[in-house]
Amino acid sequence: IPDDEDIQKEDNIRCLTTLGHFGFDCLPQQLVNKSVQQGFFFNILCVGETGIGKSTLIDTLFNTNLKDKKSSHFYPNVRLKIQTYELQESNIQLNLTVVKTVGYGDQINKEGSYQPIVDYIDAQFESYLQEELKIKRSFVDYHDSRIHVCLYFISPTGHSLKSLDLLTMKNIDSKVNIIPLIAKADTISKNDLQKFKCKIMSELISNGIQIYQFPTDDEATTDVNTSMNGHLPFAVVGSTDEVKVGKRMVRGRQYPWGVLQVENENHCDFVKLRDVLLCTNMEDLKEQTHTWHYERYRCSKLQKMGFTDVGPDNQPVSFQEIYEAKRQDFLDQCQREEEELKQKFMQRVKEKERAFKEAEKELQDKFEHLKRVQQEETMKLEEERRQLEEEIIDFYKMKAASGTLQTQECTNIRKD
Ligand code: GDP
């Protein structure tokens, strides 16, 4: 290929220097600009017992002081508290939603403690699915509230996971990316911490609980993510207090024997957690949420509604065909139900008619009986009246006869 000067000499062509860079290697820049304009959204779910350090860790992670009032240990059931914050760092805006459990682990019966968490995660998937199914979708201003990561706070005081931890994680591991954390890790010695971490990991594996694995397929992050996977569960310490160490002020917890520096990697895994959440894996967490967890929910939901991609003959079935078949099924069912209702109605009418007739007959019989009784009564009275009249007549006859007799007797006496 001849160089520019040769061409200029040969063909006397004028060479212009380009003003700026062009080419499709600029494409990523467009994405960056668009994302910066739109801002970033991130939704975190914190699951852990009351007082385990959820609020403090969130404040430490995002350098905020959200002043959450201390939660009580006496709630009758588990609730979720949702807080949304708009954070700004240089020109990047982060819309952060933090969902925290309230009253988790405080009830005597812990059976249903995980249910509100499962319901909440599903409800966010459902609302996204409803938006997707709309004819006029508006994802531009839709607030996507699906949970991108669940920080599961494990108590540092036990020897292993509690049954509540296992039960909850088992019920949510197919719905959300779980990152297990050992809370208040400053309360465990270094040796115990290592043993505790191994124990937790082996328990998670033996119970078949799927936790988030940092992806190792991207060359740029392979090394860091492989090492991160080896550090799980992260042992974290939270504190927003500034403590003096030498000449520097650092965030840490002051103890009589020294300072635990939150951002010192020899003291705890806080920096590792912050790096994976904010610097290296936020996009992957969001992608996993969409492509795995939401997809699984959507698939099972549509299957429950009777939709399928292939028919019984393994041939693809179109959405239209399924819709029409479903509609026909629905209409048939409506007709069947209408028939059933009509029949039931007719049967009830007949039953009522029969009951009325029986009641009418009963009344008629009663009436006849009463009529008969009354007739008999009348006849009896009539008979009595007749007898009485006869008696009266007889009485008068007798009276008349006795009158005549008396007169004759008087006449006889006078004659005498
Ligand atoms: P939440 O109820 O889970 O939100 O717990 P909070 O964040 O309100 O913390 C409860 C208490 O634990 C507070 O007194 C915190 O100062 C303390 N705390 C929080 N994080 C840590 C930690 O990492 N280590 C220690 N030792 N205490 C902590």
Side-chain angles (χ1 to χ4, degrees), residues 18 31 68 93 172 204 225 274 277 303 326 388:
T18 53
L31 288 180
D68 222 359
Q93 176 153 357
I172 59 171
L204 290 176
N225 278 349
R274 189 181 58 192
L277 278 188
Q303 273 174 352
K326 287 255 131 214
L388 212 65

Side-chain angles (χ1 to χ4, degrees), residues 88-105:
Q88 179 104 23
E89 198 171 76
S90 48
N91 64 335
I92 307 294
Q93 176 153 357
L94 177 66
N95 295 295
L96 177 72
T97 302
V98 180
V99 182
K100 275 181 258 174
T101 53
V102 178
Y104 184 76

Side-chain angles (χ1 to χ4, degrees), residues 36-193:
V36 170
Q37 260 174 25
Q38 285 173 348
F40 292 84
F41 291 84
F42 197 47
N43 307 327
I44 302 181
L45 168 67
C46 297
V47 181
E49 293 163 19
T50 312
I52 204 166
K54 300 182 291 296
S55 313
T56 314
L57 190 81
I58 292 295
D59 275 351
T60 321
L61 271 174
F62 296 99
N63 220 2
T64 49
N65 193 359
L66 304 170
K67 289 223 166 51
D68 222 359
K69 78 170 189 322
K70 288 205 170 29
S71 158
S72 149
H73 282 274
F74 302 101
Y75 288 112
N77 41 38
V78 177
R79 285 189 297 120
L80 291 170
K81 187 171 175 184
I82 305 149
Q83 289 162 309
T84 315
Y85 312 102
E86 285 180 10
L87 307 175
Q88 179 104 23
E89 198 171 76
S90 48
N91 64 335
I92 307 294
Q93 176 153 357
L94 177 66
N95 295 295
L96 177 72
T97 302
V98 180
V99 182
K100 275 181 258 174
T101 53
V102 178
Y104 184 76
D106 289 334
Q107 296 76 33
I108 295 171
N109 182 2
K110 297 183 173 64
E111 276 278 293
S113 298
Y114 66 85
Q115 202 53 51
I117 304 170
V118 171
D119 293 346
Y120 179 82
I121 299 172
D122 281 348
Q124 310 322 304
F125 284 150
E126 183 59 31
S127 111
Y128 192 88
L129 181 63
Q130 289 304 322
E131 189 62 35
E132 254 189 0
L133 295 177
K134 273 185 190 169
I135 294 173
K136 281 187 183 169
R137 301 185 293 180
S138 60
F139 278 116
V140 181
D141 49 14
Y142 175 76
H143 172 64
D144 184 1
S145 55
R146 293 172 299 173
I147 296 293
H148 300 126
V149 65
C150 164
L151 300 179
Y152 193 94
F153 290 69
I154 299 163
S155 164
T157 50
H159 292 294
S160 59
L161 289 168
K162 296 178 183 172
S163 54
L164 175 63
D165 299 329
L166 292 170
L167 193 64
T168 304
M169 283 200 256
K170 189 90 201 126
N171 277 284
I172 59 171
D173 70 347
S174 59
K175 297 174 185 289
V176 69
N177 301 309
I178 303 176
I179 299 185
L181 307 177
I182 299 175
K184 299 188 180 179
D186 52 329
T187 56
I188 324 178
S189 74
K190 206 168 181 179
N191 273 347
D192 285 350
L193 182 64

Side-chain angles (χ1 to χ4, degrees), residues 19-35:
L19 291 174
H21 189 72
F22 62 87
F24 54 77
D25 57 349
C26 300
L27 285 177
Q29 199 53 43
Q30 293 180 21
L31 288 180
V32 172
N33 291 342
K34 202 167 174 202
S35 303

Side-chain angles (χ1 to χ4, degrees), residues 170-279:
K170 189 90 201 126
N171 277 284
I172 59 171
D173 70 347
S174 59
K175 297 174 185 289
V176 69
N177 301 309
I178 303 176
I179 299 185
L181 307 177
I182 299 175
K184 299 188 180 179
D186 52 329
T187 56
I188 324 178
S189 74
K190 206 168 181 179
N191 273 347
D192 285 350
L193 182 64
Q194 216 38 53
K195 282 187 213 148
F196 194 35
K197 278 192 177 191
C198 292
K199 181 92 175 93
I200 289 170
M201 286 313 284
S202 76
E203 278 189 335
L204 290 176
I205 292 167
S206 63
N207 284 283
I209 293 167
Q210 205 65 45
I211 57 167
Y212 175 69
Q213 288 297 304
F214 299 105
T216 50
D217 47 1
D218 177 0
E219 266 180 37
T221 52
T222 306
D223 291 346
V224 61
N225 278 349
T226 313
S227 126
M228 290 297 174
N229 283 327
H231 278 99
L232 284 170
F234 290 138
V236 291
V237 178
S239 173
T240 47
D241 295 343
E242 298 263 323
V243 187
K244 197 163 188 185
V245 174
K247 287 182 183 162
R248 287 182 309 128
M249 291 300 283
V250 292
R251 287 192 299 171
R253 301 186 82 86
Q254 175 87 60
Y255 290 103
W257 53 88
V259 173
L260 187 137
Q261 299 171 33
V262 168
E263 283 159 287
N264 185 331
E265 287 204 55
N266 291 322
H267 292 191
C268 70
D269 298 330
F270 172 80
V271 172
K272 292 188 182 71
L273 174 68
R274 189 181 58 192
D275 282 355
V276 293
L277 278 188
L278 305 180
C279 300

